[in-house]
Amino acid sequence: MSGKSHDLDGAYALRTPEDSVRYYGDWATSYDSDFAADMDYRSPDIVAGAFVSLGGAGPVLDVGAGTGLVAEALARRGIAPVDGIDISEKMLDIAAAKGVYRTVIQADLTRPLPIENSIYSGIISAGTFTHGHVGPAVFHELLRVAAPGAVFAVTVHSAVYEAGGFAARFAELGDRIEAFRTDPFKIYGPAAGSDHADDVGWIVSFRKA
Ligand SMILES: C[S@@+](CC[C@H](N)C(=O)[O-])C[C@H]1O[C@@H](n2cnc3c(N)ncnc32)[C@H](O)[C@@H]1O
C-alpha cells in the first residue's frame, strides 16, 4: 500500500459499480497527480498511440473515461471528436473541464448503454478492464454503438484477461470482428515502485466487421 487514502490497491479491491461511484468520486480531484503522475501511468498514451497506428479516427467513444487522460492523449494526436462514458460523475466533471470531450455520458457500463446504434468510428479504453471494474460482457453493447469497420483499441489487465473471461469473450465474437490482435505493454513506469512497476496489460485491438 502507498499510504495514500486512494491508490491502485484500493481501486483493485472494488467489486461493484456502486463501489466505483463511491471510490472514484472521492479520488477524482487527486487522480491525475497522486496516481497518474506519481505512478507514471502509461496506458492512456499507449492505447491512443495504438489507436492512431491502426488508422483510428473520430468520432470516438472513450470507455471508462475517468478524468480524461485518454482524450488528452488523442487530442495530442489530432483525433476528434471524442465522447467519454463513465459511471462516476465526479471523474467526468474533471474530464469535461479539460475541454477535450464533445460530450460526457454518465452511465453504468454493465447495463444497456444510452447511445444510438452504429455512431462511433472508434472505441478506445484504458484502465477500465481490470480487477473489480468492468467485465467483457460490455463488448456486446460496444459493438452495437460502433459503425461497421470501427477501430477498437482497449487495455485489458493481464490478471483478468483469462481469469475475467476476456479471452473467451473475444473468441466468441467470431466473425463479428476482424484483424484481432493482442500486444503486451507495461502499465506503469519505474516511478510505480516495486509493487507495480512490472504490471503488464494487453492492448486488445480489432475492427468491427
Ligand atoms: C482506472 S480508471 C481509468 C480512467 C481513465 N480511462 C484512465 O485511464 O485514466 C477506471 C474508470 O472506470 C470507471 N468505471 C468503473 N466501473 C464502471 C462501470 N460499471 N461503468 C462505467 N464506468 C465504470 C471508473 O469510474 C473510473 O473512472
Side-chain angles (χ1 to χ4, degrees):
M1 298 289 287
S2 64
K4 296 174 180 172
S5 60
H6 292 77
D7 63 11
L8 189 58
D9 296 308
Y12 281 178
L14 303 178
R15 289 292 171 266
T16 67
E18 294 73 27
D19 288 346
S20 288
V21 171
R22 177 185 46 75
Y23 197 82
Y24 283 101
D26 291 341
W27 201 7
T29 54
S30 61
Y31 179 93
D32 284 6
S33 54
D34 286 5
F35 168 65
D38 281 4
M39 296 279 289
D40 193 7
Y41 174 54
R42 304 171 69 225
S43 302
D45 202 57
I46 289 179
V47 81
F51 181 81
V52 170
S53 73
L54 292 163
V60 182
L61 181 65
D62 177 13
V63 178
T67 60
L69 297 177
V70 171
E72 290 184 283
L74 288 172
R76 290 194 290 274
R77 293 167 169 87
I79 301 292
V82 183
D83 296 343
I85 186 166
D86 199 286
I87 200 168
S88 169
E89 192 174 356
K90 296 262 177 60
M91 293 288 270
L92 289 177
D93 285 348
I94 304 283
K98 291 177 176 174
V100 286
Y101 290 100
R102 175 175 65 178
T103 188
V104 293
I105 305 160
Q106 196 226 331
D108 182 352
L109 291 160
T110 68
R111 304 181 65 82
L113 304 182
I115 300 175
E116 290 171 42
N117 294 345
S118 306
I119 62 170
Y120 288 108
S121 300
I123 304 285
I124 194 166
S125 181
T128 302
F129 302 120
T130 186
H131 304 271
H133 281 55
V134 178
V138 71
F139 282 92
H140 177 76
E141 278 289 273
L142 296 179
L143 281 163
R144 178 182 67 76
V145 305
V151 171
F152 282 62
V154 306
T155 72
V156 182
H157 196 292
S158 60
V160 302
Y161 187 73
E162 301 276 351
F166 286 88
R169 180 68 188 139
F170 292 133
E172 283 167 14
L173 293 178
D175 60 10
R176 296 181 67 197
I177 63 173
E178 296 171 343
F180 177 83
R181 59 181 285 171
T182 56
D183 296 287
F185 75 104
K186 288 184 80 165
I187 301 171
Y188 307 102
S194 55
D195 284 355
H196 293 289
D198 293 327
D199 285 11
V200 173
W202 296 101
I203 300 288
V204 176
S205 61
F206 54 85
R207 281 183 183 268
K208 176 175 171 174

